[in-house]
Amino acid sequence: MTTTKRPVGRPATIADPRQTIMAHAARMFATQGYENTSLSQIASATGISKAALYHYFPAKQEIYDAIVVEMLQSMKDQVWARVEQQSSFKDRLKAFMTAHADFFQDNYQEFVTLLHGISGTSRGRSAEELAARARYENALRSLVQSGTEAGDIRQQDTAVVARAILAPLNAMPRWFNPKGTRRAAEFAEEFFDLLFEGLRQR
């Protein structure tokens, strides 16, 4: 039986190839690190040739950038959909923290890739990644500012408060067990109680 070879660079027939490549790459970046993951390994895990991989992503950094930018935009959309369902500042902040934690748990590999997949490397951040991060953090700062203006929390530097809110949430990949009995949002509620008590107007 004669096997017909695909032309070099022609993508293999797989469902939703870009998303499939990104999913396998995210898992590998999260578990073995960005620098320890090669394009050949990603292609092998995806079940396509390296030439086919190049059809979608000419470089490893482009895969990483695509994962991070897509994840940040999805996180912003999902988190703020929950925030907008609430009216008071207290409930909106709690919704932000629990929704952020839910997104982290539901997208564990991609989130770990975002925070730790390139730990210790010198890889630069793309303009798209920086812009996506800025949109997310600026939305949180605006939420904090609204709480200050409403008199719900003490006057503080909004950037510092936003970092204090994100710090315990973004540290969760270091210790959270996604196979454990407690959801990430439960821990986020405890973080919220501690933070809000320290921030609220007295």
Side-chain angles (χ1 to χ4, degrees), residues 68-100:
V68 171
V69 171
E70 181 175 290
M71 195 207 71
L72 285 167
Q73 186 57 55
S74 295
M75 182 165 65
K76 183 176 184 296
D77 292 344
Q78 292 184 36
V79 169
W80 288 97
R82 294 257 295 271
V83 171
E84 294 302 328
Q85 293 175 9
Q86 306 300 324
S87 54
S88 71
F89 169 74
K90 181 178 181 179
D91 289 342
R92 285 166 67 84
L93 179 58
K94 184 175 183 178
F96 171 86
M97 296 184 72
T98 55
H100 184 105

Side-chain angles (χ1 to χ4, degrees), residues 9 21 39-40 48-60:
I21 292 167
L39 286 173
S40 295
I48 61 175
S49 69
K50 191 173 180 180
L53 179 64
Y54 282 135
H55 179 85
Y56 297 101
F57 297 101
K60 183 170 66 172

Side-chain angles (χ1 to χ4, degrees), residues 5 17 63 70 87 165:
K5 294 183 179 180
I63 303 175
E70 181 175 290
S87 54
I165 293 167

Side-chain angles (χ1 to χ4, degrees), residues 86-94 142-156 161 192 195-202:
Q86 306 300 324
S87 54
S88 71
F89 169 74
K90 181 178 181 179
D91 289 342
R92 285 166 67 84
L93 179 58
K94 184 175 183 178
S142 294
L143 174 60
V144 171
Q145 184 61 35
S146 72
T148 302
E149 292 173 354
D152 292 317
I153 59 175
R154 292 178 286 117
Q155 181 71 44
Q156 299 281 351
V161 175
F192 166 78
L195 281 166
F196 190 77
E197 183 61 28
L199 288 170
R200 70 183 179 87
Q201 189 71 269
R202 290 178 171 80

